[in-house]
Amino acid sequence: MTFPWATGGIQKHDNKEGWNSDMARSSAPEHVTIVGAGMVGLATAWHLQEQGVQVTILDREGVAADSSWGNAGWLAPALTLPLPEPAVLSYGLRAMLSPSSPVYVPLSADPHLLRFLAGFARHCTPRAWRKAMGVFNDVNKLALGAFDELTQGGVVENTRLADPFLAAFVSEQDRETLVAEFRHVAESGGEVDFDLLTGDEIRNLEPALGDGVRAGILLRNQRFINPPKYVASLADAVRERGGEIITTFDVADVVDRGSAGVDVVSTSGERRTSDHVVVANGARLTRLAKKFGVKTVVQAGRGYSFTVRPTHVPKNPVYFPVQRVACTPLDSGRFRVAGMMEFRSPDAPLDPRRIKAIVDAARPVLTGIDWNQREEEWVGSRPCTPDGLPLIGGTKSARVSVAGGHGMWGVALGPLTGRMLAASITSGSVPPAMRPFNPLR
């Protein structure tokens, strides 16, 4: 099966760009092992099955156990923007050291974190943001169609149209920052369909908004999902087509044995052998991938969320850009409130101060919520790269690929990532839309 890529045909690997030419010469694998049972790993498995490949998925905990579980579940191309942006640096170092800051960097001598932060800061410039935005524009045009393909292929859980998708502000001045970003998106070839709203207009559309909301934006053509339900449905589809999902398999190493295959080795010494391995284990990607030439640091950008039960549950997502709080209706009267970017070890425990910071930010702008009756408090590690672009494709080994580093957009771009990577693995060629995500850059 050949996919009709919207950006043109499939192109061969080119050593000048770091892609492994051996991969182009090798035959398509019969059996692929995927490390990671989140949205990206499962979507890759599903698309490999479309190509007739046997798949095994390994995960240290289970399906959607990390960042695929508690995120906001937005499929919003208008807001799928590069994470390194000039506004991040405007917080200032002192603000970012505060646990109440939307972007929190705890004091640390960790060389991995310091290397990431130095690279991240270099990309928080208008020029770098515009360049990255051009790349995001290309994939944003394809992202929703990749979800439609999963639906047509039998994934039961559907995406939901956000009609409307609202962004709320305490002042028109605050709103101008996001409007300016939309202008830059348009200048770089993207498109955002939106209207400006007064405070009265946006509160009429969404009664759960508080009196502190004085301005708004109405976004069209966006969608959302219930993340745990959707990823579980995708996992069911993979299993129904013969895929094996093995949980509590904590991967310690990936060993390329040449023509004998690739071994994935657990911390207990168990081995799984296949023709090809895809490393899609989120914020822990660097540990397994660096031996195969992937030098880009992947840092955990931890997000927090919880659910509440408002008196009036909004039917669609609501975003508070200044507060960096993202809200999504789930089901059974549950309303997910998510936020924060905490650059910290993925193994660090949940920090209650971060939950409190989200509550303090959301309380003035949402009504009808008992903030003390929180459920499902969660922290998950979003895999972030210094330049804000994911790592998708082959490595120095013809038998090892990676898929990760999507930052906040692993759910939104996961199906497209799986489609592109599966096509690359089985054809030995790189879809044009995937070329900027070279893992060896």
Side-chain angles (χ1 to χ4, degrees):
M1 179 177 179
T2 301
F3 295 113
W5 299 98
T7 50
I10 294 177
Q11 300 177 10
K12 288 294 182 183
H13 292 280
D14 184 347
N15 276 340
K16 292 180 181 179
E17 297 190 11
W19 296 92
N20 192 298
S21 59
D22 289 341
M23 188 175 176
R25 293 194 297 269
S26 62
S27 59
E30 296 181 2
H31 181 199
V32 174
T33 299
I34 299 166
V35 182
M39 175 70 93
V40 172
L42 290 167
T44 302
W46 192 92
H47 280 286
L48 284 168
Q49 290 176 314
E50 286 285 278
Q51 304 287 338
V53 178
Q54 177 187 351
V55 296
T56 299
I57 303 99
L58 309 174
D59 198 278
R60 66 201 293 263
E61 295 184 52
V63 171
D66 199 2
S67 58
S68 290
W69 190 90
N71 63 81
W74 292 356
L75 316 180
L79 299 171
T80 304
L81 310 172
L83 182 59
E85 56 174 327
V88 172
L89 295 185
S90 69
Y91 289 127
L93 180 60
R94 181 175 297 180
M96 287 190 284
L97 293 174
S98 168
S100 63
S101 170
V103 181
Y104 176 43
V105 184
L107 282 173
S108 172
D110 178 5
H112 179 96
L113 175 59
L114 294 176
R115 183 180 162 204
F116 167 79
L117 291 174
F120 189 85
R122 286 197 301 271
H123 287 90
C124 286
T125 65
R127 180 179 179 182
W129 189 90
R130 285 192 295 269
K131 181 178 179 181
M133 192 62 242
V135 174
F136 273 85
N137 283 338
D138 289 340
V139 293
N140 283 341
K141 294 171 184 176
L142 305 172
L144 293 179
F147 278 90
D148 293 338
E149 186 173 350
L150 293 178
T151 299
Q152 294 162 7
V155 176
V156 174
E157 181 70 12
N158 290 320
T159 64
R160 311 180 194 181
L161 179 64
D163 184 22
F165 193 116
L166 298 175
F169 306 84
V170 299
S171 70
E172 293 183 3
Q173 181 178 357
D174 284 348
R175 181 177 65 187
E176 182 55 31
T177 300
L178 186 57
V179 172
E181 284 195 352
F182 290 162
R183 292 195 198 102
H184 294 318
V185 169
E187 291 167 2
S188 60
E191 183 178 344
V192 182
D193 187 359
F194 69 96
D195 288 333
L196 302 183
L197 303 174
T198 66
D200 288 340
E201 288 171 338
I202 191 171
R203 287 194 303 273
N204 286 336
L205 286 171
E206 183 44 70
L209 294 175
D211 291 337
V213 173
R214 306 292 176 84
I217 295 176
L218 184 154
L219 291 164
R220 299 184 182 86
N221 305 317
Q222 315 299 303
R223 303 188 206 173
F224 66 104
I225 59 172
N226 180 325
K229 288 185 66 175
Y230 190 93
V231 179
S233 180
L234 178 56
D236 288 342
V238 170
R239 289 191 186 98
E240 288 168 4
R241 302 199 304 178
E244 184 181 20
I245 301 177
I246 302 172
T247 59
T248 67
F249 194 108
D250 192 359
V251 177
D253 198 10
V254 176
V255 181
D256 182 355
R257 298 192 295 119
S259 60
V262 191
D263 289 348
V264 179
V265 187
S266 75
T267 53
S268 64
E270 183 180 355
R271 288 177 177 261
R272 291 276 173 160
T273 303
S274 60
D275 306 317
H276 197 100
V277 168
V278 175
V279 179
N281 61 336
R284 296 172 177 83
L285 183 147
T286 301
R287 178 173 57 84
L288 297 178
K290 64 182 178 182
K291 67 187 288 186
F292 300 108
V294 180
K295 298 179 180 179
T296 299
V297 176
V298 178
Q299 169 64 42
R302 305 202 319 162
Y304 286 74
S305 73
F306 53 85
T307 55
V308 289
R309 297 179 181 274
T311 303
H312 169 84
V313 182
K315 294 182 179 180
N316 297 295
V318 182
Y319 181 33
F320 302 97
V322 173
Q323 293 80 3
R324 303 277 171 144
V325 172
C327 304
T328 308
L330 298 178
D331 51 29
S332 304
R334 294 151 59 232
F335 189 57
R336 174 165 288 170
V337 183
M340 303 297 164
M341 177 62 73
E342 178 185 65
F343 293 125
R344 202 172 194 172
S345 166
D347 297 315
L350 182 147
D351 186 343
R353 297 175 300 175
R354 308 299 285 148
I355 296 291
K356 181 179 183 300
I358 297 176
V359 171
D360 290 344
R363 192 190 302 272
V365 290
L366 286 169
T367 63
I369 296 174
D370 184 347
W371 296 101
N372 293 320
Q373 297 298 313
R374 299 187 300 273
E375 304 172 21
E376 301 175 302
E377 291 188 350
W378 170 90
V379 61
S381 298
R382 299 167 294 203
C384 301
T385 62
D387 62 5
L389 300 180
L391 308 170
I392 310 169
T395 68
K396 287 186 175 180
S397 166
R399 287 161 288 277
V400 178
S401 299
V402 299
H406 293 75
M408 297 187 297
W409 312 123
V411 166
L413 298 179
L416 177 61
T417 295
R419 188 171 78 180
M420 294 191 298
L421 184 57
S424 177
I425 290 171
T426 55
S427 72
S429 302
V430 182
M434 196 173 90
R435 296 176 75 81
F437 308 128
N438 182 356
L440 302 181
R441 63 181 182 269

